[in-house]
Each structure stands twice: as C-alpha cells, then as structure tokens.
Amino acid sequence: MRLPTLDVEKYNGSTDFDRWLKEIERKFDSVSLNNNEKLLYLPNLLTGKAKRKYNELDACDLESYDKLTAALKTRLGFNHSDIIRSAVNLNIKNI
C-alpha cells in the first residue's frame, strides 16, 4: 500500500503530544486516510524519545489506531509536573 506524502513535522517527544497529534490528524483527514492507513503512517512520524516509547508498546496497543494513540498519549502526554519542570529549567537557562 502506498501512502500519500504529507508535509508534516515529525514528533520527537519533547513537546505537547496532544497538540502535535491534533495537527497530524488534520493532515490525515485532508487526504482522507482511514484508521488502518493512519496506523501504518503514524510510527514513521516518530523520532527520538517518541520512537523509543512506540517501540516499547505491547502488541495489543498496536491493534488499532485508537489504541495506538491512546497508548502514546499515556506515555508521551505531559502532566503538570512535566510542565513545571520545563518552565523551571527554562528560567534557569535564562538567568
């Protein structure tokens, strides 16, 4: 199966996954990809930490696009402590 070429930014795990995923899903929808095609496409858009987290997923997490995105959100989603830590690190660098 040949998937269309999309002009999208790859995700490395260092920014907000939910925001990135919403942008990717808009791109997917613009070319009418179904969930099976999205399931094939998404892993190729992951690099660095995000790709490592993907490679650690259980086989059941890879059964569908919805399961895959839910598993990645759990592993890559930012929580409040991550946001605070990032803000503190940024402030320290700017001192």
Side-chain angles (χ1 to χ4, degrees):
M1 171 186 301
R2 183 162 168 85
L3 297 173
T5 301
L6 296 176
D7 181 27
V8 296
E9 183 177 332
K10 291 192 175 198
Y11 182 72
N12 66 14
S14 66
T15 58
D16 185 347
F17 180 72
D18 288 327
R19 184 177 300 163
W20 177 83
L21 185 60
K22 285 178 186 174
E23 178 63 28
I24 293 306
E25 288 181 342
R26 279 195 292 273
K27 300 277 186 168
F28 285 167
D29 291 343
S30 74
V31 293
S32 302
L33 293 182
N34 64 41
N35 279 357
N36 288 333
E37 293 166 329
K38 293 175 188 179
L39 182 63
L40 294 173
Y41 212 115
L42 187 63
N44 296 312
L45 299 176
L46 303 175
T47 64
K49 173 186 171 186
K51 188 67 165 195
R52 286 191 301 277
K53 294 293 183 183
Y54 169 82
N55 289 333
E56 295 170 0
L57 295 175
D58 294 327
C60 64
D61 294 325
L62 306 175
E63 291 175 350
S64 73
Y65 179 73
D66 291 334
K67 286 183 179 183
L68 172 59
T69 55
L72 288 173
K73 283 180 184 182
T74 299
R75 288 160 179 81
L76 295 169
F78 281 92
N79 59 39
H80 293 291
S81 62
D82 290 332
I83 294 168
I84 292 168
R85 189 173 18 263
S86 294
V88 168
N89 288 338
L90 180 61
N91 287 333
I92 290 171
K93 289 178 184 177
N94 290 329
I95 294 177

mmCIF file of all heavy atoms in Angstrom, residues 53-77:
data_model
loop_
_atom_site.group_PDB
_atom_site.id
_atom_site.type_symbol
_atom_site.label_atom_id
_atom_site.label_comp_id
_atom_site.label_asym_id
_atom_site.label_seq_id
_atom_site.Cartn_x
_atom_site.Cartn_y
_atom_site.Cartn_z
ATOM 1 N N LYS A 53 9.454 5.135 22.855
ATOM 2 C CA LYS A 53 8.215 4.793 23.569
ATOM 3 C C LYS A 53 7.319 3.926 22.691
ATOM 4 O O LYS A 53 6.695 2.984 23.166
ATOM 5 C CB LYS A 53 7.465 6.049 24.013
ATOM 6 C CG LYS A 53 8.194 6.855 25.048
ATOM 7 C CD LYS A 53 8.284 6.113 26.353
ATOM 8 C CE LYS A 53 8.952 6.950 27.422
ATOM 9 N NZ LYS A 53 9.108 6.233 28.681
ATOM 10 N N TYR A 54 7.253 4.230 21.409
ATOM 11 C CA TYR A 54 6.476 3.420 20.469
ATOM 12 C C TYR A 54 7.021 1.984 20.444
ATOM 13 O O TYR A 54 6.255 1.018 20.494
ATOM 14 C CB TYR A 54 6.518 4.029 19.070
ATOM 15 C CG TYR A 54 5.955 3.116 18.016
ATOM 16 C CD1 TYR A 54 4.576 3.030 17.811
ATOM 17 C CD2 TYR A 54 6.792 2.315 17.244
ATOM 18 C CE1 TYR A 54 4.053 2.154 16.862
ATOM 19 C CE2 TYR A 54 6.270 1.457 16.290
ATOM 20 C CZ TYR A 54 4.901 1.378 16.104
ATOM 21 O OH TYR A 54 4.390 0.509 15.176
ATOM 22 N N ASN A 55 8.324 1.834 20.376
ATOM 23 C CA ASN A 55 8.940 0.504 20.302
ATOM 24 C C ASN A 55 8.722 -0.312 21.574
ATOM 25 O O ASN A 55 8.841 -1.535 21.544
ATOM 26 C CB ASN A 55 10.437 0.624 19.999
ATOM 27 C CG ASN A 55 10.693 1.069 18.577
ATOM 28 O OD1 ASN A 55 9.885 0.840 17.679
ATOM 29 N ND2 ASN A 55 11.809 1.730 18.365
ATOM 30 N N GLU A 56 8.411 0.345 22.686
ATOM 31 C CA GLU A 56 8.159 -0.334 23.957
ATOM 32 C C GLU A 56 6.709 -0.781 24.118
ATOM 33 O O GLU A 56 6.378 -1.486 25.068
ATOM 34 C CB GLU A 56 8.516 0.593 25.125
ATOM 35 C CG GLU A 56 9.988 0.929 25.212
ATOM 36 C CD GLU A 56 10.268 2.043 26.219
ATOM 37 O OE1 GLU A 56 9.313 2.558 26.853
ATOM 38 O OE2 GLU A 56 11.441 2.414 26.361
ATOM 39 N N LEU A 57 5.830 -0.387 23.203
ATOM 40 C CA LEU A 57 4.408 -0.713 23.338
ATOM 41 C C LEU A 57 4.153 -2.210 23.196
ATOM 42 O O LEU A 57 4.867 -2.915 22.476
ATOM 43 C CB LEU A 57 3.596 0.045 22.288
ATOM 44 C CG LEU A 57 3.572 1.566 22.411
ATOM 45 C CD1 LEU A 57 2.828 2.173 21.236
ATOM 46 C CD2 LEU A 57 2.950 1.998 23.732
ATOM 47 N N ASP A 58 3.120 -2.667 23.870
ATOM 48 C CA ASP A 58 2.676 -4.060 23.744
ATOM 49 C C ASP A 58 1.964 -4.244 22.413
ATOM 50 O O ASP A 58 1.424 -3.297 21.845
ATOM 51 C CB ASP A 58 1.704 -4.411 24.878
ATOM 52 C CG ASP A 58 2.375 -4.384 26.242
ATOM 53 O OD1 ASP A 58 3.572 -4.711 26.319
ATOM 54 O OD2 ASP A 58 1.698 -4.021 27.220
ATOM 55 N N ALA A 59 1.924 -5.466 21.945
ATOM 56 C CA ALA A 59 1.265 -5.781 20.677
ATOM 57 C C ALA A 59 -0.204 -5.365 20.680
ATOM 58 O O ALA A 59 -0.727 -4.903 19.665
ATOM 59 C CB ALA A 59 1.387 -7.269 20.372
ATOM 60 N N CYS A 60 -0.877 -5.478 21.816
ATOM 61 C CA CYS A 60 -2.296 -5.096 21.879
ATOM 62 C C CYS A 60 -2.485 -3.594 21.654
ATOM 63 O O CYS A 60 -3.533 -3.163 21.182
ATOM 64 C CB CYS A 60 -2.935 -5.542 23.184
ATOM 65 S SG CYS A 60 -2.245 -4.774 24.658
ATOM 66 N N ASP A 61 -1.457 -2.786 21.955
ATOM 67 C CA ASP A 61 -1.529 -1.340 21.717
ATOM 68 C C ASP A 61 -1.416 -1.005 20.233
ATOM 69 O O ASP A 61 -1.724 0.115 19.828
ATOM 70 C CB ASP A 61 -0.421 -0.607 22.470
ATOM 71 C CG ASP A 61 -0.574 -0.679 23.974
ATOM 72 O OD1 ASP A 61 -1.731 -0.665 24.447
ATOM 73 O OD2 ASP A 61 0.452 -0.757 24.669
ATOM 74 N N LEU A 62 -0.966 -1.952 19.441
ATOM 75 C CA LEU A 62 -0.744 -1.719 18.013
ATOM 76 C C LEU A 62 -1.869 -2.305 17.149
ATOM 77 O O LEU A 62 -1.758 -2.296 15.930
ATOM 78 C CB LEU A 62 0.601 -2.324 17.601
ATOM 79 C CG LEU A 62 1.814 -1.884 18.416
ATOM 80 C CD1 LEU A 62 3.048 -2.640 17.975
ATOM 81 C CD2 LEU A 62 2.014 -0.387 18.330
ATOM 82 N N GLU A 63 -2.928 -2.767 17.781
ATOM 83 C CA GLU A 63 -4.020 -3.412 17.046
ATOM 84 C C GLU A 63 -4.889 -2.432 16.270
ATOM 85 O O GLU A 63 -5.510 -2.808 15.284
ATOM 86 C CB GLU A 63 -4.896 -4.211 18.010
ATOM 87 C CG GLU A 63 -4.200 -5.422 18.575
ATOM 88 C CD GLU A 63 -5.045 -6.140 19.623
ATOM 89 O OE1 GLU A 63 -6.089 -5.607 20.042
ATOM 90 O OE2 GLU A 63 -4.634 -7.226 20.037
ATOM 91 N N SER A 64 -4.957 -1.186 16.731
ATOM 92 C CA SER A 64 -5.791 -0.197 16.049
ATOM 93 C C SER A 64 -5.201 1.191 16.256
ATOM 94 O O SER A 64 -4.409 1.418 17.177
ATOM 95 C CB SER A 64 -7.232 -0.229 16.577
ATOM 96 O OG SER A 64 -7.299 0.349 17.870
ATOM 97 N N TYR A 65 -5.603 2.105 15.403
ATOM 98 C CA TYR A 65 -5.128 3.490 15.509
ATOM 99 C C TYR A 65 -5.563 4.104 16.841
ATOM 100 O O TYR A 65 -4.768 4.779 17.500
ATOM 101 C CB TYR A 65 -5.660 4.319 14.339
ATOM 102 C CG TYR A 65 -5.238 5.761 14.390
ATOM 103 C CD1 TYR A 65 -3.926 6.126 14.108
ATOM 104 C CD2 TYR A 65 -6.147 6.756 14.715
ATOM 105 C CE1 TYR A 65 -3.519 7.451 14.160
ATOM 106 C CE2 TYR A 65 -5.751 8.080 14.765
ATOM 107 C CZ TYR A 65 -4.441 8.424 14.492
ATOM 108 O OH TYR A 65 -4.051 9.742 14.554
ATOM 109 N N ASP A 66 -6.793 3.842 17.257
ATOM 110 C CA ASP A 66 -7.278 4.408 18.517
ATOM 111 C C ASP A 66 -6.496 3.876 19.712
ATOM 112 O O ASP A 66 -6.148 4.630 20.622
ATOM 113 C CB ASP A 66 -8.773 4.121 18.701
ATOM 114 C CG ASP A 66 -9.624 4.896 17.709
ATOM 115 O OD1 ASP A 66 -9.190 5.964 17.231
ATOM 116 O OD2 ASP A 66 -10.741 4.429 17.409
ATOM 117 N N LYS A 67 -6.187 2.578 19.703
ATOM 118 C CA LYS A 67 -5.390 2.003 20.791
ATOM 119 C C LYS A 67 -3.973 2.571 20.779
ATOM 120 O O LYS A 67 -3.401 2.858 21.827
ATOM 121 C CB LYS A 67 -5.343 0.477 20.684
ATOM 122 C CG LYS A 67 -6.625 -0.198 21.089
ATOM 123 C CD LYS A 67 -6.479 -1.711 21.026
ATOM 124 C CE LYS A 67 -7.749 -2.396 21.456
ATOM 125 N NZ LYS A 67 -7.597 -3.859 21.479
ATOM 126 N N LEU A 68 -3.416 2.727 19.592
ATOM 127 C CA LEU A 68 -2.064 3.268 19.467
ATOM 128 C C LEU A 68 -1.993 4.696 20.003
ATOM 129 O O LEU A 68 -1.118 5.016 20.805
ATOM 130 C CB LEU A 68 -1.593 3.234 18.008
ATOM 131 C CG LEU A 68 -0.273 3.938 17.718
ATOM 132 C CD1 LEU A 68 0.873 3.342 18.544
ATOM 133 C CD2 LEU A 68 0.034 3.877 16.234
ATOM 134 N N THR A 69 -2.904 5.546 19.578
ATOM 135 C CA THR A 69 -2.848 6.938 20.030
ATOM 136 C C THR A 69 -3.122 7.048 21.529
ATOM 137 O O THR A 69 -2.489 7.845 22.211
ATOM 138 C CB THR A 69 -3.811 7.834 19.224
ATOM 139 O OG1 THR A 69 -5.134 7.310 19.291
ATOM 140 C CG2 THR A 69 -3.358 7.959 17.781
ATOM 141 N N ALA A 70 -4.018 6.215 22.052
ATOM 142 C CA ALA A 70 -4.281 6.230 23.496
ATOM 143 C C ALA A 70 -3.035 5.821 24.279
ATOM 144 O O ALA A 70 -2.685 6.439 25.287
ATOM 145 C CB ALA A 70 -5.452 5.312 23.828
ATOM 146 N N ALA A 71 -2.350 4.784 23.808
ATOM 147 C CA ALA A 71 -1.133 4.321 24.483
ATOM 148 C C ALA A 71 -0.033 5.375 24.417
ATOM 149 O O ALA A 71 0.669 5.617 25.402
ATOM 150 C CB ALA A 71 -0.657 3.013 23.859
ATOM 151 N N LEU A 72 0.110 6.009 23.270
ATOM 152 C CA LEU A 72 1.135 7.048 23.142
ATOM 153 C C LEU A 72 0.798 8.267 23.990
ATOM 154 O O LEU A 72 1.698 8.874 24.589
ATOM 155 C CB LEU A 72 1.310 7.445 21.672
ATOM 156 C CG LEU A 72 2.001 6.408 20.796
ATOM 157 C CD1 LEU A 72 1.967 6.830 19.335
ATOM 158 C CD2 LEU A 72 3.439 6.176 21.262
ATOM 159 N N LYS A 73 -0.476 8.626 24.070
ATOM 160 C CA LYS A 73 -0.872 9.752 24.932
ATOM 161 C C LYS A 73 -0.503 9.466 26.378
ATOM 162 O O LYS A 73 -0.020 10.345 27.085
ATOM 163 C CB LYS A 73 -2.376 10.007 24.828
ATOM 164 C CG LYS A 73 -2.782 10.726 23.579
ATOM 165 C CD LYS A 73 -4.288 10.950 23.558
ATOM 166 C CE LYS A 73 -4.722 11.577 22.258
ATOM 167 N NZ LYS A 73 -6.167 11.849 22.224
ATOM 168 N N THR A 74 -0.722 8.226 26.810
ATOM 169 C CA THR A 74 -0.386 7.848 28.183
ATOM 170 C C THR A 74 1.115 7.953 28.424
ATOM 171 O O THR A 74 1.558 8.443 29.459
ATOM 172 C CB THR A 74 -0.851 6.406 28.472
ATOM 173 O OG1 THR A 74 -2.267 6.353 28.307
ATOM 174 C CG2 THR A 74 -0.468 5.959 29.855
ATOM 175 N N ARG A 75 1.898 7.530 27.460
ATOM 176 C CA ARG A 75 3.355 7.501 27.646
ATOM 177 C C ARG A 75 4.045 8.819 27.301
ATOM 178 O O ARG A 75 5.117 9.104 27.810
ATOM 179 C CB ARG A 75 3.948 6.367 26.815
ATOM 180 C CG ARG A 75 3.620 5.010 27.417
ATOM 181 C CD ARG A 75 3.767 3.892 26.414
ATOM 182 N NE ARG A 75 3.476 2.591 26.974
ATOM 183 C CZ ARG A 75 2.255 2.097 27.150
ATOM 184 N NH1 ARG A 75 1.210 2.818 26.837
ATOM 185 N NH2 ARG A 75 2.079 0.894 27.653
ATOM 186 N N LEU A 76 3.445 9.615 26.435
ATOM 187 C CA LEU A 76 4.089 10.853 25.980
ATOM 188 C C LEU A 76 3.388 12.121 26.436
ATOM 189 O O LEU A 76 3.935 13.208 26.276
ATOM 190 C CB LEU A 76 4.167 10.868 24.447
ATOM 191 C CG LEU A 76 5.042 9.798 23.826
ATOM 192 C CD1 LEU A 76 4.830 9.740 22.327
ATOM 193 C CD2 LEU A 76 6.506 10.065 24.150
ATOM 194 N N GLY A 77 2.196 11.986 26.991
ATOM 195 C CA GLY A 77 1.453 13.167 27.418
ATOM 196 C C GLY A 77 2.166 13.871 28.559
ATOM 197 O O GLY A 77 2.770 13.237 29.416
#
